[in-house]
Amino acid sequence: MVAETRLYDALSVSPTANQDEIKKAYRKAALKHHPDKNKDNPSALEKFKEVSQAYEILSDPEKRKVYDQYGLDFLLRGGAEAPPSGGAGARAGGMPSGFGGMPGGFGGIPGMGGGGTRSFHFSTGGGGGGGGFSFSNPESIFADFFKQGGAGMGDDDDIFAQFTGGGAGAGSRNGGGRSRFRESGGGGGRRRMPTPEVTTVEKPLALTLEELYKGVHKKMKIKRKTYDDGDGKRKVEDKVLEMDIKPGYKAGTKIKFKGVGDQEEGGTQDLHFIVQEKPHETYKREDDNLRMYVDLDLKEALTGWTRTIPTIDGKKFTLSKGGPTGSGYTETYPHQGMPNSKKPIERGDMIVEVRVKFPTSLTLAQKTHLKDIL
């Protein structure tokens, strides 16, 4: 006969449950109510705290024995004196908020095992009392549970990594991992810390200059890591993202998707696609302007030349010069460049630049002839 069943009820187990049954019940409840799987559900955070703290007591044979005989309130008061016979002085109703996290030590608890006094000195939460019991951080309880093998299911390392980021000791009592809970000063209680910010993953999005000129609708298939709601196991799923590339987007432009990446501690990753321009065989982009080159040999540069100049939108211009034309000479075609992404009706210019290729060698006769005519 136990004094009360609040902690057993939190884990949905019988007071006669053995340690394996308690472990399995906690494993199931903790995965179900873990804040990372319920970031928009504050009640899940409280439920996670309750089942973790219930497990902390019921998984320890000494704490469980005291709880079974005297009840939770006596345990939290520090056992200053035995409660009246017939009950533990438990409050009516459900489990207390976070079980209180009250400081204070276990002094002599009378009546344990055939008379005499048995002393307990639990120091599990760093409370402010005289070395007494207070609850550990719920995420530390969860982390330690899986680090120690959990319920012997064989996949605890993988499951634990989903909620802690995978590092050794992450989220544990000694590991320094980030947590939603922390101790408040002095009284051994707990208060919620802000949820860690989710990370942002950046991926390149290579586009042709023509796509950036006209604009295009893109569908991108990505693979994202998530976990099964039933057993918490890691899985990979496909997701299709659709995006509109506006005319005039430049390299470095970010196209942002919120909450579509891998699920991790703190929530689901954001995904940013960063525009990259594929090299073009004709044009080099300079902000909203386009530059192209016309290569002339020395004879053309001296005597004259004609070229057909294409534009990014398919038009053609004829460019002719009678010569001589120096290397670096430019001809500008206004409003034939790239559109402005913020003002699509405005366009940059197209700049045509001449490059003169000089011969690498000349015969003596050629040199003599050039000297005579120049």
Side-chain angles (χ1 to χ4, degrees):
M1 184 69 179
V2 297
E4 64 173 55
T5 63
R6 277 184 287 173
L7 302 188
Y8 295 104
D9 293 342
L11 294 176
S12 300
V13 296
S14 166
T16 61
N18 60 33
Q19 284 299 309
D20 282 344
E21 291 170 333
I22 289 173
K23 287 181 180 180
K24 289 178 181 178
Y26 172 62
R27 183 182 192 274
K28 179 179 179 181
L31 289 174
K32 178 180 179 181
H33 298 292
H34 196 283
D36 286 352
K37 296 179 67 175
N38 303 274
K39 68 175 184 177
D40 297 323
N41 183 5
S43 63
L45 183 71
E46 292 303 314
K47 186 63 178 176
F48 176 74
K49 187 192 319 184
E50 291 177 3
V51 299
S52 296
Q53 294 178 336
Y55 174 75
E56 183 176 30
I57 290 178
L58 297 182
S59 64
D60 185 298
E62 288 189 349
K63 295 188 185 78
R64 182 179 180 183
K65 187 172 183 179
V66 175
Y67 171 71
D68 285 349
Q69 186 167 357
Y70 295 105
L72 181 60
D73 285 354
F74 178 74
L75 192 66
L76 296 179
R77 283 200 304 268
E81 61 181 31
S85 60
R91 290 182 294 243
M95 191 172 298
S97 175
F99 302 151
M102 296 173 62
F106 276 99
I109 300 180
M112 294 295 291
T117 299
R118 184 176 182 182
S119 296
F120 297 85
H121 299 283
F122 300 126
S123 300
T124 58
F133 172 75
S134 60
F135 285 106
S136 300
N137 185 308
E139 288 185 345
S140 296
I141 298 170
F142 176 80
D144 287 349
F145 173 79
F146 280 101
K147 283 175 63 184
Q148 294 165 8
M153 302 301 289
D155 57 355
D156 297 325
D157 288 343
D158 185 52
I159 294 173
F160 173 62
Q162 297 172 35
F163 298 100
T164 64
S172 68
R173 298 172 201 177
N174 300 317
R178 296 177 297 176
S179 171
R180 294 166 184 78
F181 310 89
R182 72 177 179 187
E183 299 169 12
S184 60
R190 302 289 183 267
R191 65 176 178 174
R192 182 178 179 180
M193 289 183 68
T195 301
E197 293 184 4
V198 295
T199 59
T200 298
V201 176
E202 296 183 341
K203 293 182 178 291
L205 178 63
L207 300 168
T208 66
L209 203 55
E210 285 79 8
E211 288 175 324
L212 293 171
Y213 170 75
K214 297 176 182 178
V216 65
H217 182 78
K218 285 280 188 180
K219 292 183 179 182
M220 302 292 292
K221 185 176 181 180
I222 65 169
K223 292 187 180 294
R224 61 192 296 262
K225 295 178 181 178
T226 180
Y227 43 81
D228 189 273
D229 290 335
D231 57 17
K233 289 185 177 180
R234 198 69 157 168
K235 65 178 183 179
V236 178
E237 66 180 19
D238 292 333
K239 187 175 183 66
V240 176
L241 303 177
E242 298 191 36
M243 65 194 82
D244 288 315
I245 308 301
K246 294 182 179 180
Y249 270 0
K250 297 181 176 69
T253 300
K254 292 183 178 181
I255 302 167
K256 302 178 180 180
F257 291 88
K258 185 175 180 61
V260 300
D262 293 346
Q263 290 181 328
E264 58 173 18
E265 182 183 5
T268 306
Q269 292 174 336
D270 296 338
L271 183 58
H272 293 178
F273 288 95
I274 301 179
V275 171
Q276 292 183 347
E277 291 180 5
K278 294 181 179 179
H280 197 277
E281 61 181 5
T282 302
Y283 305 107
K284 178 182 178 182
R285 185 174 183 176
E286 300 172 349
D287 196 13
D288 289 336
N289 296 331
L290 292 176
R291 182 178 296 269
M292 67 169 292
Y293 295 94
V294 170
D295 291 324
L296 306 178
D297 59 31
L298 183 58
K299 180 179 178 180
E300 288 179 310
L302 293 173
T303 61
W305 53 276
T306 299
R307 292 288 191 278
T308 299
I309 306 300
T311 64
I312 187 70
D313 56 353
K315 295 192 292 287
K316 295 183 184 297
F317 294 96
T318 299
L319 178 59
S320 297
K321 291 295 175 183
T325 305
S327 188
Y329 169 84
T330 60
E331 189 84 16
T332 299
Y333 293 83
H335 313 300
Q336 296 300 316
M338 297 293 288
N340 185 308
S341 61
K342 296 180 179 179
K343 299 178 181 179
I345 60 173
E346 297 182 7
R347 291 177 63 181
D349 300 334
M350 183 175 70
I351 302 166
V352 180
E353 180 177 343
V354 169
R355 296 185 299 198
V356 178
K357 293 183 177 181
F358 286 84
T360 57
S361 62
L362 292 173
T363 65
L364 181 59
Q366 288 172 328
K367 292 178 181 179
T368 302
H369 188 60
L370 286 171
K371 287 179 181 179
D372 291 341
I373 63 176
L374 292 178

